[in-house]
Amino acid sequence: MNVASAATGHTLPVAGGRATAGEVWRLSRGHRLRLAAVGLAGILSTAVDLIPPVAIGYLVDRVQTGTGDLGTVLTVTGVMALSAVLGAAGTAVTIAHATRIYHTVLAALRERLVSRAMLLPRHLVERAGTGDLISRSSDDVTAVADAAPAVIPALTVTACTIVVSLAGLAALEWPYAAAFAVVLPVYALAMRWYLRIGPRVYRAERAAMSARAQQILESQRGHATVLGFGLAEHRHRAVLTDSWGVAVQSIRARTVQSMLNARLNLGECLSLAAVLVVGFVLVDHGLSTVGGATTAMLLVLRLLGPVNQLLFVVDTLQSALASLSRMIGVVTIPTAEEADASMAQAGRAAPADPADPAGAADPADAAETATAVRLRGVAFRYADGPSVLDGIDLDIPAGRHIAIVGPSGAGKTTLASVIAGVHRPDGGTVTRPRRTAVISQEVHVFAGTLRENLTLAAPDATDGDIRAALETTGAADLLELSADALDTVVGTRGHPLTEAEAQQLALARLLLADPELAILDEATAEAGSAHAERLDRASEAVLAGRSGIVIAHRLSQAATCDRIVVMDAGRVIETGTHDELLTAGGTYARLWAVWQAGQQISASR
């Protein structure tokens, strides 16, 4: 796979030229015959467009020799008008069909981008930032969509125009073609300079846009935190900094365009001057007629437009290719299964996958001891940061409920993510059931009906199954939001749900998924104390009959679990039941005392 690393930070990869070309070629399968027809239409329209210069030169000679009359003028004018109509028709056909093909291919690419993004490892997305993904699926798609309908037809027509016009100049008088060819190195040098500078500038511009999108997204998502801690000015400065970075990179890109334009203007002046001098010499020596010189000048003028357009299309093409390579960079990221299969084909052992118990430890051994989850020597760190988990050994018996508690930054959520298979441990082994489901603190309500939100987890679930899940989680009142019951539209396009209702919906979704292991990562923390008891009952109902891990925000929830694991600084420092840990008088006992005091203060208000 030819995938270049991102230029800055821990962004998602950018595809190399070979990978980009290969993916575009694959996506164009089924459209190649139509593309050939589009190219043929472009060639024909180009050939027709060369008729007017020849006709004008012919008319000039007839007038100069006195052999022209009104009939000649009308005939030449008619031919020119007909050629203009045919050329316009050919161009229209080319653009119309090309646009249809390109947008069809682009739609397929965008679908692949979104599909692959859904399968990306969570740690990869977190490290790169969701803003990078959003920028690639919005800004980059827009850049490619805006460029595609113009670039390919322009490249085809321009290339044909240059070839046919040079052939016409050579057929007219070879010195004309030679005069123009002498100036071609100016254009070649301009192109070489641009291809060396342009791609890097455009990639930097796109990367800056991704960074800005990430800052804006984080500020919007953390709106309540920003207001609560008075961070508005800090976030404002962060967005301003990244916005200024976009402005700087955009100015660099526009500067490159202006410098390219200056080089093109120089080539244009030299081309006209060269052909004009050659025409004067040839006419002066009787080697060419005035009409021939006129035709040559018109052909050169006809050439200058496409040549300049070609270079400016390349400018647009480079910007689009930068975006296209970023999109394909996501499409070509291998999933964990693909990476393991590739390593197996190469004769190397795949790394232990926490999503695959067989790759981590012996399932038979786990079955003998009725252990649902087993961790041995688990270590983890984010990118090049400090260690977050260090030497974690943990056994969770099948059917038991374990609470993980500890101060902020202790590594609780990271441990849950490693157990769930979201993150691969840097060391140690993890064994867990294949069917594992996670509910995080940030639950999401998808725009759609209640039924659609719930059957995401169980597509074959009947309406009876869905109603039962809602009743079990205490969310049956969601059916009364409107007369449509399960067909009630919720989310951004329908009835907004409270945080408590959204969490109940997520719990019902998990119940329908019926996993062997359920992990609740502070899944009821956002609803507030008014709904705490109700959500705790829903959580207990969801965990009934299956193994469960609860990252407890409220210690009252931890107290009801079979066993409590206390973490601090990435290590397990205490384990036991609620009563055992209180008797021990350690970290958990102190956390419980602080939490109880806070509850008393809240109750007294």
Side-chain angles (χ1 to χ4, degrees):
M1 183 183 301
N2 182 22
V3 180
S5 298
T8 58
H10 296 293
T11 58
L12 296 170
V14 177
R18 182 177 300 176
T20 300
E23 185 64 22
V24 171
W25 179 251
R26 193 198 68 78
L27 288 169
S28 67
R29 189 179 301 136
H31 303 284
R32 294 168 190 167
L33 186 60
R34 292 176 62 192
L35 280 172
V38 167
L40 179 60
I43 292 173
L44 293 176
S45 63
T46 298
V48 171
D49 285 342
L50 297 181
I51 291 177
V54 176
I56 291 174
Y58 169 79
L59 187 60
V60 168
D61 281 340
R62 295 296 297 270
V63 171
Q64 185 184 24
T65 59
T67 57
D69 54 19
L70 180 60
T72 302
V73 174
L74 292 177
T75 300
V76 171
T77 303
V79 170
M80 293 172 61
L82 180 61
S83 68
V85 172
L86 293 176
T91 301
V93 170
T94 299
I95 294 176
H97 285 276
T99 301
R100 191 171 190 175
I101 294 172
Y102 306 141
H103 279 293
T104 300
V105 172
L106 181 61
L109 176 58
R110 186 169 190 172
E111 289 175 2
R112 289 205 66 198
L113 170 66
V114 174
S115 298
R116 181 52 60 106
M118 296 296 101
L119 298 175
L120 291 181
R122 182 176 173 182
H123 72 274
L124 187 62
V125 177
E126 288 178 346
R127 185 175 64 178
T130 52
D132 192 17
L133 262 181
I134 290 175
S135 178
R136 295 187 189 219
S137 59
S138 55
D139 294 339
D140 290 327
V141 171
T142 299
V144 175
D146 290 344
V151 167
I152 302 301
L155 285 175
T156 302
V157 173
T158 299
C160 293
T161 299
I162 292 174
V163 172
V164 174
S165 296
L166 285 175
L169 283 173
L172 183 66
E173 293 290 347
W174 68 265
Y176 291 125
F180 184 79
V182 168
V183 185
L184 285 179
V186 175
Y187 291 102
L189 290 173
M191 178 68 75
R192 181 181 178 184
W193 169 85
Y194 173 74
L195 291 178
R196 188 177 71 253
I197 302 296
R200 184 171 68 251
V201 171
Y202 285 118
R203 282 195 297 268
E205 183 181 22
R206 295 298 175 195
M209 289 180 176
S210 293
R212 179 183 62 183
Q214 180 67 25
Q215 289 288 4
I216 294 174
L217 188 64
E218 288 180 352
S219 297
Q220 290 298 322
R221 282 184 171 178
H223 181 69
T225 302
V226 170
L227 293 180
F229 288 91
L231 299 176
E233 183 61 30
H234 175 270
R235 299 306 305 168
H236 180 64
R237 286 196 303 270
V239 172
L240 280 180
T241 299
D242 283 339
S243 296
W244 178 247
V246 172
V248 169
Q249 297 301 334
S250 297
I251 291 172
R252 288 183 61 198
R254 303 298 85 76
T255 300
V256 169
Q257 290 177 352
S258 298
M259 295 175 70
L260 175 62
N261 190 49
R263 287 165 169 77
L264 297 183
N265 288 338
L266 175 62
E268 183 175 334
C269 292
L270 293 177
S271 299
L272 291 173
V275 174
L276 185 61
V277 170
V278 169
F280 175 81
V281 172
L282 291 178
V283 172
D284 186 55
H285 288 77
L287 300 176
S288 178
T289 64
V290 174
T294 301
T295 298
M297 287 297 296
L298 291 175
L299 286 176
V300 170
L301 286 171
R302 179 72 179 83
L303 266 171
L304 291 177
V307 168
N308 290 345
Q309 182 185 17
L310 175 63
L311 295 184
F312 272 114
V313 161
V314 171
D315 178 84
T316 303
L317 180 62
Q318 287 297 319
S319 178
L321 284 177
S323 294
L324 185 63
S325 62
R326 283 162 48 81
M327 294 170 62
I328 293 178
V330 175
V331 171
T332 53
I333 296 175
T335 62
E337 292 77 6
E338 292 171 344
D340 291 347
S342 177
M343 295 183 69
Q345 290 177 356
R348 292 174 292 169
D353 186 353
D356 183 2
D362 186 357
D365 182 48
E368 288 178 3
T369 57
T371 299
V373 177
R374 173 172 292 177
L375 285 75
R376 290 293 180 267
V378 170
F380 181 81
R381 70 177 64 225
Y382 291 97
D384 299 325
S387 177
V388 180
L389 300 178
D390 187 13
I392 300 292
D393 293 326
L394 184 64
D395 289 327
I396 300 178
R400 297 296 182 90
H401 303 156
I402 303 297
I404 302 177
V405 302
S408 178
K412 304 185 297 295
T413 294
T414 301
L415 178 60
S417 297
V418 169
I419 294 174
V422 173
H423 297 313
R424 286 175 177 251
D426 297 323
T429 60
V430 178
T431 302
R432 68 178 179 88
R434 291 184 181 276
R435 291 190 294 113
T436 298
V438 183
I439 298 181
S440 66
Q441 184 172 341
E442 297 179 0
V443 297
H444 184 73
V445 178
F446 295 90
T449 65
L450 280 172
R451 181 186 290 104
E452 290 169 342
N453 266 272
L454 291 167
T455 54
L456 286 171
D460 298 329
T462 65
D463 285 1
D465 295 333
I466 297 173
R467 292 176 183 274
L470 290 173
E471 290 174 1
T472 301
T473 56
D477 53 352
L478 292 179
L479 298 172
E480 301 175 3
L481 289 174
S482 76
D484 294 327
L486 286 176
D487 292 320
T488 300
V489 177
V490 295
T492 56
R493 300 176 184 174
H495 289 271
L497 300 185
T498 65
E499 290 178 344
E501 289 171 336
Q503 288 167 337
Q504 286 178 296
L505 190 67
L507 289 169
R509 189 186 294 143
L510 184 144
L511 192 62
L512 287 170
D514 192 24
E516 298 173 69
L517 172 66
I519 302 176
L520 307 184
D521 183 4
E522 298 189 3
T524 62
E526 289 292 328
S529 59
H531 304 281
E533 185 177 350
R534 182 179 182 183
L535 287 171
D536 283 348
R537 288 198 303 270
S539 298
E540 291 174 6
V542 167
L543 294 176
R546 59 173 53 86
S547 306
I549 298 174
V550 178
I551 309 298
H553 176 75
R554 294 185 303 276
L555 293 188
S556 59
Q557 190 178 19
T560 63
C561 291
D562 299 313
R563 197 165 188 81
I564 299 171
V565 174
V566 184
M567 293 188 65
D568 191 19
R571 291 178 175 272
V572 174
I573 59 173
E574 292 179 349
T575 62
T577 65
H578 173 71
D579 292 337
E580 289 172 348
L581 293 177
L582 288 182
T583 302
T587 300
Y588 180 78
R590 291 192 294 273
L591 289 173
W592 178 262
V594 172
W595 186 79
Q596 285 284 78
Q599 292 297 105
Q600 292 174 2
I601 292 174
S602 297
S604 64
R605 289 178 179 175

